[in-house]
Amino acid sequence: MSDHSLILGLESRLVNAWPSFDYQAYDGWILRLAAGYTKRANSATPLLPGASLDEPLLVYMVERFIAANVRPTFRLNGLEGAGVDALLAARGFREIEPTCVLSAPVDGDCEVDSEVAIEAKVSKQWVREASESYGGEKDDEAALLGIVSRIRQKAAFATLRLDERPVAWGLGVVERGYVGLYDIVVAPDLRGIGLGRRVVLSLMAWGCTHGAHTAYLQVREENEIARSLYGALGFRLAYRYTHRVMPAPASP
């Protein structure tokens, strides 16, 4: 499998596993909008090897972002054509949040942790608890519910409970032999003791029961603690992507 086919295969699964509210296609690019909740659901991403970007198309897509009240963001995954990054940089788009896409083989252990509950459908409780534990800009129950309720692939909403207290959450989505891991989050007062690891392993085991041979996830390059955890679980770099965002207008 070539690098481009690997990227395209995982990127197309990501689009399905983390749906936006609106999609627009432009000459090898897909522009996704979801009321500003997470960059991967609110960005323009190349989905065709060598996807080009010239000034008129850049201006047009920026206008679409602004009309939706979303900060213009280009998510560059290696499929974009030569010169795209330089064009965005020349127009003042800042590079932020370089991210690693990691993958690992699912080794055939299909046994889910007995303290991890798996639900096939999202519940308001799962959304509320996960949002509260995320905090910050991701503490938005309505937006998270709007995204995950649009998933059309087979999904698993995981909750780890200790002494009946929910303490960690995660989302798994299976498509064509891959299980994507999303929204892995642990209660703030219990981080660093292996609870996230249990959720990850349980979602991989769940994926195993549904025919997955490979797991994948995304983690920011700067998050060395998470990258170390995933490395210990067998995850290796598949590819990287970064974001180019339009700078905020200067204050009057």
Side-chain angles (χ1 to χ4, degrees):
M1 181 181 289
S2 70
D3 287 345
H4 279 172
S5 61
L6 171 63
I7 295 170
L8 182 57
L10 290 180
E11 287 287 311
S12 61
R13 288 172 173 86
L14 183 153
V15 168
N16 294 333
W18 195 254
S20 296
F21 304 162
D22 183 28
Y23 299 82
Q24 301 171 29
Y26 300 107
D27 301 345
W29 294 81
I30 182 166
L31 192 156
R32 306 174 66 205
L33 300 167
Y37 186 82
T38 73
K39 290 180 181 63
R40 61 180 174 240
N42 292 272
S43 55
T45 300
L47 282 182
L48 182 71
S52 62
L53 183 66
D54 58 17
E55 189 74 27
L57 180 56
L58 171 58
V59 170
Y60 191 82
M61 286 199 280
V62 165
E63 290 173 349
R64 305 284 74 73
F65 279 113
I66 293 173
N69 198 31
V70 171
R71 187 178 187 181
T73 301
F74 288 79
R75 184 174 164 277
L76 306 182
N77 56 21
L79 294 178
E80 69 277 359
V84 170
D85 186 60
L87 172 63
L88 292 169
R91 297 301 177 268
F93 282 73
R94 293 191 301 109
E95 183 177 12
I96 64 169
E97 297 179 11
T99 299
C100 299
V101 179
L102 309 179
S103 65
V106 174
D107 63 10
D109 180 1
C110 299
E111 186 173 349
V112 175
D113 190 312
S114 62
E115 293 183 297
V116 175
I118 300 287
E119 299 176 293
K121 300 292 184 181
V122 66
S123 67
K124 290 184 178 179
Q125 180 180 3
W126 186 92
V127 169
R128 182 180 66 254
E129 292 170 351
S131 294
E132 289 176 351
S133 290
Y134 264 120
E137 64 181 14
K138 293 196 72 175
D139 187 2
D140 186 334
E141 295 179 31
L144 177 56
L145 179 61
I147 286 174
V148 298
S149 64
R150 285 172 165 80
I151 298 171
R152 297 296 177 259
Q153 278 63 38
K154 192 178 294 293
F157 297 88
T159 304
L160 170 60
R161 289 181 170 84
L162 298 180
D163 297 326
E164 301 304 316
R165 176 192 169 188
V167 295
W169 302 263
L171 166 64
V173 182
V174 164
E175 182 187 345
R176 294 176 289 150
Y178 285 75
V179 55
L181 309 181
Y182 298 84
D183 270 19
I184 309 297
V185 61
V186 176
D189 60 324
L190 292 173
R191 291 173 182 169
I193 60 173
L195 302 182
R197 175 190 180 98
R198 292 173 64 181
V199 172
V200 168
L201 289 174
S202 290
L203 287 172
M204 292 175 71
W206 170 83
C208 171
T209 67
H210 294 284
H213 53 72
T214 304
Y216 71 93
L217 53 82
Q218 301 154 90
V219 60
R220 290 186 189 177
E221 282 191 357
E222 67 185 19
N223 192 342
E224 295 182 2
I225 294 175
R227 288 172 60 194
S228 177
L229 164 65
Y230 296 134
L233 295 177
F235 283 86
R236 299 292 181 263
L237 180 68
Y239 62 97
R240 292 179 171 86
Y241 66 82
T242 191
H243 305 86
R244 286 281 185 182
V245 298
M246 176 176 279
S251 301

